[in-house]
Amino acid sequence: ESGSFKQVARILNHGLSPTDIAHLLESSPPKERNLLWKLVDKDLEGEVLLYLNDDIRAYFLSKLNAQELASVTEDFETDDLVDLLQQLPDTVIEEVLHSMDAQDRQRIEEVLSYQEDTAGGLMNTDTVTIRPDISIDVVLRYLRRHKSLPEMTDSLLVVNRKDDFIGVLPLTTMLVSSPNATVREVMNTDIEAIPVEMTRTDIATLFERRDLVSAPVVNQNGKLVGRITIDDVVDVIREDADHSLMSMAGLDEDEDTFAPVMKTAKRRAVWLGINLITAFIASAVIGLFEQTIEKVVALAVLMPIVASMGGIAGSQALTLVIRGIAVGQIGGSNIRWLLSKEFVVGALNGVLWASVVSVAAIAWFNDPKIGIIIAAAMLINLIAAALAGTSLPLLLKARNIDPALAGGVILTTVTDVVGFMSFLGLATIMYA
Amino acid sequence: ESGSFKQVARILNHGLSPTDIAHLLESSPPKERNLLWKLVDKDLEGEVLLYLNDDIRAYFLSKLNAQELASVTEDFETDDLVDLLQQLPDTVIEEVLHSMDAQDRQRIEEVLSYQEDTAGGLMNTDTVTIRPDISIDVVLRYLRRHKSLPEMTDSLLVVNRKDDFIGVLPLTTMLVSSPNATVREVMNTDIEAIPVEMTRTDIATLFERRDLVSAPVVNQNGKLVGRITIDDVVDVIREDADHSLMSMAGLDEDEDTFAPVMKTAKRRAVWLGINLITAFIASAVIGLFEQTIEKVVALAVLMPIVASMGGIAGSQALTLVIRGIAVGQIGGSNIRWLLSKEFVVGALNGVLWASVVSVAAIAWFNDPKIGIIIAAAMLINLIAAALAGTSLPLLLKARNIDPALAGGVILTTVTDVVGFMSFLGLATIMYA
């Protein structure tokens, strides 16, 4: 068995890239994951950690002591190291910083001082800077003195003696320029640098709209402090998009699919508990009409239709608005238009499906009254659902509550209460 | 009023980039959108069209005749032009192709022959190629003869006389190499070129894992046919992620938030109709137990709790597995583990919340029997929900049905039927 272990270890460490290893770990149940992790070469551990999702990374990090951590992260770029440090307890951060030389420590401490979800937290400090007055020929010779250039270097950053950001010189521009031209003559000064406090989501939007590969980051005084590269932005885009999807089911985007049973069970229990409150509220509404149901038991048979159709219609509006907010499409000027549109859409579909359901109900229970009641209730609930689905995300957002997380629960409460209340309420009047 | 129009037009065309204009159009209701579109400069129209989502682009495209189209798309890169052509009726494509010179037409026709969702459909043909035997110095002089290099050029592609792909020369490598070195000596041959038939989603995964900016595309014979750049891959990542979110609510990821009322109403009506079938199936199940409900009306009050808790638990498993499939994390080897894990999680939460609900029900209706019934039904339904939520996406995927679109509807049917059936069925036995 030790022979086959060695074989697995060889394939793992020599046949796969660190991202592939990370993916394999993420796709493995806990036992296999721990086994595989032990087989990963010491000098690959650091890079593999980088590509793991937060949940799993935190788990493996917790098994390393400060010394192991320091050796694992030796060759890390600043942004990667900071990402990783941010997941550690303060005492461990202290120890790791302590094990570094003064210059590295200072650089790390600076980046650590920025908020994790801002340009400062996302940026790298490995910029290649040049002065505006030198010639392209000198730049080429300067570059040749490097053993390598940082990854994703698509442009050189132009700064003055005081490190004030002046412009960028894309490599593609430099390569078609005359060697005698000066940097100033060919550089691009149209580029707005990213302020160090810009949020991750805004940065992602900027990269997407401007098709950027990298962008300079400046502090409040216009001094160049680092650069952001598309590989990190892609991660932000992926995480933001995942966030909406996962939150709507009460999940975390860093959720580990193969987390141990107890961890998953606990997280899920909380979400079920919150939704149980909604369910009890709906039951309480039904409870108000017990006598009516006792008289006309067909009501109990049909009532879930009204509630569930409201839920479906509402969640369509809710999802559309949550996505619209996330991509910055919905704001002050178009909300009124959107609300009235969704109202009309709700009413039109209300009329359509109320007619269908009404005919079916009359045919089923041979009772015209029940057809009228369910048609009216459906219409009321579909309109309520459209209005709630559209306005809820905006109301929650304004109160700094995540619409993707809270929207669905509140919406269900609305459509259940309105659905049962209108259907059973109308029935109580009509069958009185 | 004509004066203020001119002012808007000036801001639009001179203050905003084409992507900003596209975003503004996407965020505007139909009337304003048509007005704004008329104000966009003729020579910006093409680029703005590129950045619009499919729905809106198709609308504006339908208003142009073939001649206008040809002039609007004059400066397009191949991949962008093909993207746009693919949305047009065949007769219009013919006309547009006809208006091009022979060389352009041939290039476009080649790309059009590839599937839209493969590397062939995503790639660009604007590669900068070099031969392996020349020196870096010659490469530099060759590049200087260009007026500009294609956007997102981070590497030169090395090919032989027969256009067979040999390797890549990253600009960052070239710039630190000796001018006397040959391309062959410094190029990177580790890069696997992307086969022209690779799917968009696989390409996105590859770019994410390898942190690529661009990658060469080769045909079946290993000949270089184009390259794919990160800006297009970012769009794929965004669309794929949006697809899961929107499909789960029965929406299209290209859905126009501000589409006209009738268009939206029609699309939504279809989804409501499909879900109505689910609702009727649930009602039919309840209908089987009319007599039991007539005897114990408390059952009607409590039954939605059992069904809705099942729906919530199931949709958590469903979302997790849909995401896991999308990122290639879930496959043959770990399905069994995942199924048994979700089974245990469902059972644990079933026991927990069954106890809570049972105590509440007994207190509410002062009837121990109903507490036992609802506890048993909850446990059964949460386990059924976990198993259905986990296995459904895999079963649907295996039948080439989109799990994000169909999963939710089928899951609700399962949790409603199992929930009502077990709760009312047990009650019928216990109260017989």
Side-chain angles (χ1 to χ4, degrees):
Chain A
E1 189 166 323
S2 134
S4 76
F5 264 154
K6 272 185 197 151
Q7 215 170 349
V8 172
R10 199 166 49 233
I11 296 170
L12 199 68
N13 293 305
H14 301 289
L16 297 177
S17 71
T19 36
D20 292 334
I21 299 175
H23 185 72
L24 186 65
L25 289 168
E26 284 183 356
S27 310
S28 302
K31 231 193 252 170
E32 286 84 342
R33 185 183 286 164
N34 280 318
L35 262 177
L36 285 170
W37 178 245
K38 281 188 199 135
L39 298 177
V40 174
D41 267 0
K42 281 285 160 226
D43 49 339
L44 282 179
E45 275 183 358
E47 219 180 327
V48 172
L49 278 174
L50 279 184
Y51 293 108
L52 284 175
N53 88 29
D54 285 2
D55 247 28
I56 305 174
R57 180 158 64 188
Y59 171 75
F60 287 133
L61 281 177
S62 70
K63 298 187 150 190
L64 301 175
N65 62 38
Q67 200 190 337
E68 286 170 319
L69 261 175
S71 96
V72 152
T73 58
E74 217 170 23
D75 303 324
F76 274 27
E77 292 176 14
T78 326
D79 62 337
D80 292 335
L81 182 53
V82 169
D83 265 9
L84 200 139
L85 286 177
Q86 268 153 344
Q87 282 195 295
L88 297 172
D90 285 348
T91 51
V92 183
I93 298 184
E94 282 301 318
E95 278 187 79
V96 174
L97 287 175
H98 212 76
S99 72
M100 296 178 165
D101 64 44
Q103 199 196 335
D104 279 352
R105 186 165 58 231
Q106 199 201 329
R107 230 174 41 194
I108 295 291
E109 276 171 346
E110 192 194 327
V111 179
L112 269 176
S113 71
Y114 299 116
Q115 290 287 321
E116 195 182 340
D117 63 344
T118 65
L122 200 65
M123 74 185 184
N124 219 317
T125 52
D126 59 354
T127 53
V128 182
T129 57
I130 50 174
R131 295 283 154 77
D133 305 314
I134 59 175
S135 70
I136 298 299
D137 192 45
V138 172
V139 175
L140 287 172
R141 277 187 281 136
Y142 165 70
L143 291 178
R144 262 182 225 127
R145 289 214 302 268
H146 290 69
K147 262 180 85 170
S148 68
L149 297 178
E151 276 176 51
M152 305 254 158
T153 297
D154 67 325
S155 51
L156 308 174
L157 303 176
V158 188
V159 295
N160 65 15
R161 265 161 223 285
K162 285 187 267 170
D163 259 353
D164 296 323
F165 171 73
I166 300 177
V168 304
L169 177 60
L171 298 185
T172 50
T173 305
M174 179 179 74
L175 289 169
V176 299
S177 303
S178 152
N180 303 320
T182 65
V183 169
R184 192 186 298 283
E185 285 163 5
V186 295
M187 72 180 180
N188 184 350
T189 53
D190 276 355
I191 301 279
E192 313 149 58
I194 293 177
V196 77
E197 68 274 14
M198 188 184 258
T199 65
R200 286 158 57 106
T201 306
D202 287 344
I203 295 167
T205 308
L206 192 71
F207 267 71
E208 272 192 273
R209 293 218 197 139
R210 301 272 182 276
D211 287 345
L212 301 174
V213 171
S214 77
V217 179
V218 295
N219 69 11
Q220 290 86 335
N221 309 319
K223 284 206 197 316
L224 182 72
V225 290
R227 67 180 185 121
I228 289 175
T229 49
I230 183 75
D231 52 331
D232 293 321
V233 173
V234 166
D235 293 342
V236 172
I237 292 172
R238 172 74 79 187
E239 273 167 35
D240 279 1
D242 271 358
H243 175 79
S244 299
L245 175 71
M246 301 289 272
S247 295
M248 287 188 80
L251 300 165
D252 192 289
E253 65 270 22
D254 285 318
E255 192 106 0
D256 168 13
T257 312
F258 300 93
V261 166
M262 279 316 292
K263 197 169 171 188
T264 303
K266 265 190 218 161
R267 284 188 180 177
R268 304 265 180 98
V270 176
W271 188 244
L272 287 169
I274 294 169
N275 280 277
L276 185 58
I277 299 170
T278 299
F280 266 117
I281 294 173
S283 286
V285 172
I286 302 171
L288 299 175
F289 303 99
E290 264 187 74
Q291 287 170 331
T292 311
I293 295 173
E294 214 154 15
K295 250 194 319 200
V296 190
V297 81
L299 295 174
V301 176
L302 293 174
M303 66 185 186
I305 296 179
V306 181
S308 80
M309 289 293 275
I312 297 290
S315 77
Q316 288 205 303
L318 184 80
T319 305
L320 199 73
V321 175
I322 285 175
R323 215 266 303 242
I325 293 177
V327 300
Q329 214 177 62
I330 295 175
S333 62
N334 49 31
I335 293 170
R336 278 175 62 106
W337 187 90
L338 201 64
L339 254 181
S340 48
K341 170 190 159 172
E342 290 293 337
F343 173 84
V344 179
V345 170
L348 284 174
N349 271 311
V351 170
L352 171 67
W353 293 112
S355 321
V356 172
V357 172
S358 154
V359 170
I362 294 172
W364 190 351
F365 292 99
N366 202 13
D367 174 2
K369 256 194 205 171
I370 212 161
I372 298 168
I373 296 167
I374 200 166
M378 278 274 284
L379 182 59
I380 292 170
N381 204 23
L382 285 198
I383 291 175
L387 295 179
T390 313
S391 56
L392 259 176
L394 296 159
L395 294 173
L396 290 170
K397 184 86 188 170
R399 271 159 196 72
N400 267 323
I401 302 170
D402 180 6
L405 192 64
V409 184
I410 305 178
L411 177 71
T412 308
T413 312
V414 172
T415 52
D416 277 2
V417 168
V418 173
F420 291 132
M421 189 76 89
S422 55
F423 182 60
L424 298 175
L426 284 171
T428 306
I429 297 165
M430 300 270 291
Y431 289 107
Chain B
E1 190 165 322
S2 133
S4 76
F5 265 154
K6 272 185 198 148
Q7 215 171 348
V8 173
R10 200 166 45 235
I11 297 171
L12 198 67
N13 294 305
H14 301 290
L16 297 178
S17 71
T19 36
D20 292 334
I21 299 175
H23 185 71
L24 186 64
L25 288 169
E26 284 182 357
S27 309
S28 302
K31 234 193 250 169
E32 287 82 343
R33 184 182 288 165
N34 280 318
L35 262 177
L36 286 171
W37 179 244
K38 281 188 199 134
L39 298 177
V40 175
D41 268 359
K42 281 287 160 226
D43 50 338
L44 282 179
E45 276 184 357
E47 219 180 327
V48 172
L49 278 174
L50 279 184
Y51 292 108
L52 285 174
N53 86 30
D54 286 2
D55 248 28
I56 306 175
R57 179 158 66 187
Y59 171 75
F60 286 132
L61 280 179
S62 70
K63 300 187 147 190
L64 300 176
N65 61 36
Q67 204 190 334
E68 287 170 318
L69 262 174
S71 95
V72 151
T73 57
E74 218 168 24
D75 303 324
F76 274 27
E77 292 176 13
T78 326
D79 62 337
D80 292 335
L81 183 54
V82 169
D83 265 9
L84 201 138
L85 287 178
Q86 269 154 344
Q87 281 196 296
L88 297 173
D90 284 349
T91 54
V92 183
I93 298 183
E94 281 302 317
E95 278 186 79
V96 175
L97 286 176
H98 213 75
S99 72
M100 296 178 163
D101 64 45
Q103 201 196 334
D104 280 351
R105 185 165 59 231
Q106 200 202 330
R107 230 175 42 196
I108 296 292
E109 276 172 346
E110 192 194 328
V111 180
L112 269 176
S113 73
Y114 298 117
Q115 291 286 321
E116 196 181 340
D117 63 342
T118 64
L122 199 66
M123 73 183 184
N124 218 318
T125 52
D126 59 353
T127 52
V128 182
T129 57
I130 50 173
R131 295 284 154 77
D133 305 315
I134 60 176
S135 70
I136 298 299
D137 192 44
V138 172
V139 175
L140 287 172
R141 278 187 279 136
Y142 166 70
L143 292 178
R144 262 181 227 128
R145 289 213 302 268
H146 291 69
K147 265 182 82 170
S148 69
L149 297 179
E151 276 176 50
M152 306 255 157
T153 297
D154 68 324
S155 51
L156 309 174
L157 303 176
V158 188
V159 295
N160 64 15
R161 264 162 225 285
K162 287 187 265 170
D163 259 353
D164 295 324
F165 171 73
I166 300 176
V168 304
L169 177 59
L171 298 185
T172 50
T173 304
M174 180 178 74
L175 290 168
V176 298
S177 302
S178 153
N180 304 320
T182 65
V183 169
R184 191 186 299 283
E185 284 164 6
V186 294
M187 71 180 181
N188 183 350
T189 53
D190 276 355
I191 302 278
E192 312 150 58
I194 293 178
V196 77
E197 68 273 15
M198 188 185 257
T199 66
R200 286 158 59 105
T201 305
D202 287 344
I203 295 167
T205 308
L206 192 72
F207 266 72
E208 273 191 271
R209 293 219 199 138
R210 301 273 182 276
D211 287 345
L212 301 173
V213 171
S214 76
V217 180
V218 294
N219 67 14
Q220 290 87 333
N221 309 318
K223 285 203 195 319
L224 182 73
V225 289
R227 66 180 187 121
I228 289 174
T229 49
I230 183 77
D231 52 331
D232 293 321
V233 173
V234 166
D235 292 342
V236 172
I237 292 172
R238 172 74 81 187
E239 273 166 36
D240 279 2
D242 271 359
H243 175 78
S244 299
L245 175 70
M246 300 291 271
S247 295
M248 286 187 82
L251 300 166
D252 192 292
E253 66 270 23
D254 285 318
E255 192 105 0
D256 167 13
T257 312
F258 299 94
V261 166
M262 280 314 295
K263 197 170 170 186
T264 304
K266 265 190 217 161
R267 282 189 179 175
R268 303 266 181 96
V270 175
W271 189 244
L272 287 169
I274 293 168
N275 280 278
L276 184 58
I277 298 171
T278 299
F280 266 117
I281 293 173
S283 285
V285 172
I286 301 171
L288 299 173
F289 303 99
E290 264 186 75
Q291 288 170 330
T292 312
I293 296 174
E294 213 154 15
K295 249 192 322 199
V296 191
V297 81
L299 296 174
V301 176
L302 293 175
M303 67 183 183
I305 296 179
V306 181
S308 80
M309 289 293 275
I312 296 292
S315 77
Q316 289 204 302
L318 185 81
T319 305
L320 199 73
V321 175
I322 285 175
R323 215 267 303 242
I325 293 178
V327 300
Q329 214 178 62
I330 295 175
S333 63
N334 47 33
I335 293 169
R336 278 176 62 107
W337 187 90
L338 201 63
L339 253 180
S340 49
K341 170 191 159 175
E342 290 293 336
F343 172 84
V344 179
V345 170
L348 285 174
N349 272 311
V351 171
L352 171 67
W353 293 112
S355 323
V356 173
V357 172
S358 156
V359 170
I362 294 172
W364 190 350
F365 293 99
N366 202 11
D367 173 2
K369 255 194 205 172
I370 212 163
I372 298 168
I373 296 167
I374 201 167
M378 279 274 284
L379 182 58
I380 293 170
N381 204 23
L382 285 198
I383 291 175
L387 295 179
T390 312
S391 56
L392 258 177
L394 297 159
L395 295 174
L396 291 170
K397 184 88 187 168
R399 272 158 196 71
N400 268 320
I401 303 170
D402 180 5
L405 190 65
V409 183
I410 303 179
L411 177 71
T412 308
T413 311
V414 171
T415 52
D416 277 3
V417 168
V418 172
F420 291 132
M421 189 77 89
S422 56
F423 182 61
L424 298 175
L426 284 171
T428 305
I429 298 166
M430 300 270 292
Y431 288 107

